[in-house]
Amino acid sequence: MFRKFVYLLALAREKHFGRAAESCHVSQPTLSNAIRQLEEELQVPIVERGQKFEGFTPEGLTVLEYARRIVGERDNLRHELLALAQGVTGHLRVGAIPSALPVVPHVLTPFTARFPHIRSTVVSLSSREIQRGLDEFELDAAITYLDNEPLNNVRTLPLYTERYHLLAHRDDLAEELIAEGAVTWETAAELRLCLLTPDMQNRRIADTAFRMTGRTVQPAMETNSIVTLYTIVRAGSCASIVPGQLLTFVPPHPDIVALPLVDPELSHVVGLAYADRDPPPPLAKALAVAASDADIAQRVAISIAEAMIPWRVAIR
């Protein structure tokens, strides 16, 4: 039954019988027959029949949901038993919102120091993709917003507070404004902007701030890459709204200024999230313990404060 569930999950992932069979290292007839047997055993149609894969029936979607849970719990059981026998082991899969990527080393460094034999993979995802990845057992843990849009069925550990800056070419701002050392969201709304795409929660936070000042912004450019925001600004094409973390790994430039955004002065908590299961997944629990022992909030705050020093010098 486990094998049939694995085949079903492969079909949901690949949306093609041939590719699903290839990913499971079996022939296509083997995979197709296994899913037919599953339909006979459960006495419900699972796959919409046609010349090619056309999706799942309503009953099939329910079976798929249970398959994800069952296979995920089997993997957790294996990890739990290995942890009892050998200590924590396995492959840690972490999703991170783009604005949190500069903070990932602060989280993983203490973890890998404690568990050097564990392989880790970090992928950049939107907060909605992170929720789905945790729900569907595709992620062990995530670094995402904790206090803005609701997270479901997760345990959380706050890591740091995100604040926002206007990143702009010096020629696009009045010298008096630069001298003030801060800029309002209302003033930022008047600039030609490059923002993250609407599927990113960071963008929705910015849109909310603009609406609080009575403004609706139509950006001239959009991207789903936090680094691209900096390169666009440096090229002189647009200004942008960026989190303070970005300034910790991009160099100051004499033609670029970074000004804190005020009126309103927004902040949001970013932290570690992992599935709320009992017992908790061993890898996620180990990551949370390592992160809580590392005083990451202080490390991130110091790194941002140190990064802002040359940016403030550049303003002058």
Side-chain angles (χ1 to χ4, degrees):
M1 183 67 78
F2 274 125
R3 186 169 60 251
K4 293 169 186 174
F5 282 154
V6 169
Y7 293 166
L8 187 65
L9 295 180
L11 182 59
R13 182 178 64 250
E14 302 293 341
K15 297 180 173 53
H16 186 277
F17 281 98
R19 291 195 298 269
E22 184 177 356
S23 71
C24 294
H25 307 291
V26 297
S27 66
Q28 182 172 330
T30 297
L31 183 138
S32 297
N33 288 336
I35 291 177
R36 286 187 181 278
Q37 291 171 11
L38 188 60
E39 290 177 318
E40 292 173 0
E41 291 169 11
L42 298 177
Q43 298 184 351
V44 294
I46 293 175
V47 178
E48 297 284 0
R49 299 299 177 188
Q51 294 295 323
K52 57 183 181 179
F53 176 74
E54 296 181 358
F56 294 97
T57 64
E59 298 89 346
L61 292 173
T62 299
V63 174
L64 187 61
E65 180 181 346
Y66 274 84
R68 287 192 177 106
R69 274 192 266 171
I70 291 169
V71 173
E73 291 297 342
R74 179 202 61 177
D75 293 341
N76 286 339
L77 174 61
R78 286 176 171 173
H79 289 147
E80 190 78 25
L81 294 175
L82 281 172
L84 290 172
Q86 306 172 8
V88 179
T89 186
H91 176 202
L92 177 69
R93 303 160 299 170
V94 179
I97 54 174
S99 65
L101 292 175
V103 179
V104 167
H106 293 287
V107 179
L108 287 188
T109 298
F111 175 78
T112 54
R114 189 174 298 190
F115 305 104
H117 56 287
I118 293 180
R119 183 167 65 94
S120 301
T121 298
V122 179
V123 290
S124 176
L125 299 169
S126 71
S127 56
R128 290 170 179 168
E129 290 171 327
I130 282 173
Q131 179 74 72
R132 181 186 60 78
L134 292 172
D135 290 342
E136 298 181 2
F137 298 87
E138 295 174 0
L139 297 174
D140 298 299
I143 305 173
T144 186
Y145 294 105
L146 302 185
D147 65 346
N148 188 42
E149 296 175 357
L151 285 165
N152 299 315
N153 304 316
V154 297
R155 301 182 187 185
T156 60
L157 173 69
L159 296 177
Y160 67 95
T161 299
E162 179 178 271
R163 293 181 173 85
Y164 309 97
H165 295 72
L166 174 71
L167 197 67
H169 201 279
R170 183 179 292 273
D171 293 341
D172 294 334
L173 300 175
E175 285 299 326
E176 308 83 60
L177 181 61
I178 296 174
E180 289 178 6
V183 62
T184 66
W185 287 89
E186 185 176 7
T187 299
E190 298 172 358
L191 300 174
R192 177 182 168 87
L193 292 173
C194 175
L195 300 177
L196 290 175
T197 49
D199 60 309
M200 297 293 173
Q201 191 170 166
N202 181 276
R203 165 65 182 281
R204 297 193 291 277
I205 290 171
D207 286 344
T208 297
F210 285 128
R211 285 195 298 271
M212 291 170 70
T213 66
R215 299 300 186 95
T216 300
V217 170
Q218 293 294 332
M221 301 177 67
E222 295 178 326
T223 176
N224 64 357
S225 165
I226 197 77
V227 175
T228 302
L229 294 179
Y230 172 77
T231 58
I232 292 292
V233 174
R234 184 162 175 173
S237 301
C238 295
S240 189
I241 308 299
V242 301
Q245 306 89 264
L246 177 69
L247 307 178
T248 65
F249 78 100
V250 295
H253 190 278
D255 295 331
I256 306 299
V257 294
L259 299 172
L261 281 156
V262 296
D263 296 333
E265 189 170 343
L266 296 182
S267 64
H268 287 284
V269 176
V270 177
L272 191 69
Y274 56 99
D276 184 13
R277 302 188 183 104
D278 195 14
L283 287 174
K285 181 180 178 181
L287 180 62
V289 170
S292 63
D293 291 346
D295 199 4
I296 291 171
Q298 183 177 5
R299 290 171 181 246
V300 173
I302 291 173
S303 68
I304 293 176
E306 291 176 344
M308 285 303 298
I309 293 173
W311 281 98
R312 292 192 184 100
V313 172
I315 290 176
R316 303 191 192 101

